[in-house]
Amino acid sequence: MTTRTKLIAGNWKMNGLKADLAEISGMCARLATLKNSPVETLICPPALLVAEAAGLASLSKLQIGGQDCHMQVKGAHTGDVSAAMLKDAGASHVILGHSERRADHGETDAMVCAKAKAAKAAGLTAIICVGETQNERAQGREYAVVGAQLAGSLSQASQAGDTIIAYEPVWAIGTGLTPSLEDVAQMHNFIRNELARAMGEESQGVRILYGGSVKPGNAESLMSVANVDGALVGGASLKCDDFMAIVEALKL
Ligand code: 13P
């Protein structure tokens, strides 16, 4: 059986000024005191903070990632950030196709797929986000929606070493609501099966994160669900104490 190291990833979204890098320094220091923690950690701050955050975290167990990248290698794309720029700044991962980018910037599965290829070419691990809206769940379409997002966003070249899936039900993001543990188990099992169909044996190594209102108080139960290989945390990743409480909940 493949063992997948759990990953607790933080998505700072459009939050964080230079002063907030102290939280990252705090996380690095706290992680150094955790002996034999079986958990990998990652923080994805806003693009402007990636280089400094990566510098602060360089000798620590904390990895630093971006929140999006352009699908092209370089060129006339004012305001955009390429995968190579993130890599150059010290990022190891990049979040792609977050529901906020799909909603705010009209990102399609095809665009996410192209970005995943760009991320791989630059040597970044892509965290590809999928998840249904409240309406879609009410209509019983959550599996169809997530299945289509996966099929459209994964590239032929996607491999376990460069691809992570994050299941983030849109209605659970920033709302304090979470699906039942049974619903999480069923969706993660569905995603695992879809990955197997798309990637074969290779899929066993792909981690599937859960995201949406993960907090210190619910992390342990969510992370103990089969096929939940970690978390993508928004609000509770902004503060060292909250983020570390989630990491420490998994230390057992
Ligand atoms: P919250 O943890 O704030 O609900 O955000 C989840 C999320 O969108 C992470 O990408």
Side-chain angles (χ1 to χ4, degrees):
M1 210 185 100
T2 316
T3 40
R4 294 179 291 269
T5 307
K6 285 215 174 8
L7 171 67
I8 304 297
N11 173 10
W12 278 16
K13 310 190 178 184
M14 199 171 73
N15 299 293
L17 300 174
K18 280 199 271 184
D20 298 298
L21 290 167
E23 302 296 331
I24 294 209
S25 300
M27 291 171 193
C28 295
R30 285 270 288 275
L31 285 168
T33 68
L34 285 188
K35 296 277 176 270
N36 307 320
S37 170
V39 182
E40 254 183 61
T41 51
L42 168 74
I43 291 288
C44 300
L48 280 175
L49 296 183
V50 165
E52 205 166 334
L56 288 171
S58 65
L59 298 175
S60 81
K61 291 184 196 148
L62 186 68
Q63 304 170 90
I64 300 296
Q67 299 176 9
D68 174 51
C69 69
H70 198 275
M71 63 188 83
Q72 300 293 337
V73 174
K74 61 179 175 177
H77 303 286
T78 302
D80 277 311
V81 171
S82 74
M85 289 172 188
L86 287 174
K87 180 77 179 173
D88 191 44
S92 52
H93 295 67
V94 61
I95 298 169
L96 295 177
H98 191 282
S99 60
E100 287 150 17
R101 292 211 55 90
R102 291 177 188 261
D104 295 355
H105 300 273
E107 287 194 6
T108 62
D109 295 331
M111 289 161 78
V112 176
C113 181
K115 289 176 179 215
K117 283 186 199 152
K120 182 182 169 92
L124 295 173
T125 297
I127 301 178
I128 296 175
C129 302
V130 296
E132 81 285 357
T133 63
Q134 193 148 36
N135 256 347
E136 289 161 346
R137 180 166 278 262
Q139 293 164 2
R141 293 174 51 223
E142 64 270 34
Y143 294 103
V145 167
V146 169
Q149 287 174 333
L150 277 176
S153 308
L154 283 168
S155 93
Q156 295 287 342
S158 299
Q159 287 179 308
D162 53 53
T163 308
I164 294 171
I165 305 298
Y167 169 57
E168 299 205 309
V170 179
W171 51 273
I173 295 176
T175 58
L177 302 172
T178 51
S180 69
L181 296 183
E182 197 179 319
D183 283 345
V184 173
Q186 278 178 12
M187 183 56 87
H188 280 240
N189 183 51
F190 169 77
I191 294 172
R192 173 95 23 238
N193 289 336
E194 292 298 294
L195 289 173
R197 280 204 314 161
M199 297 167 74
E201 191 60 24
E202 179 76 19
S203 65
Q204 283 302 313
V206 177
R207 287 177 286 189
I208 308 171
L209 313 182
Y210 168 77
S213 296
V214 177
K215 308 276 179 234
N218 62 16
E220 192 178 2
S221 54
L222 282 165
M223 296 304 107
S224 64
V225 173
N227 283 309
V228 174
D229 305 308
L232 184 53
V233 186
S237 72
L238 294 170
K239 293 285 172 214
C240 171
D241 284 347
D242 293 339
F243 185 72
M244 288 308 301
I246 292 171
V247 172
E248 285 163 10
L250 272 75
K251 182 164 63 102
L252 316 166

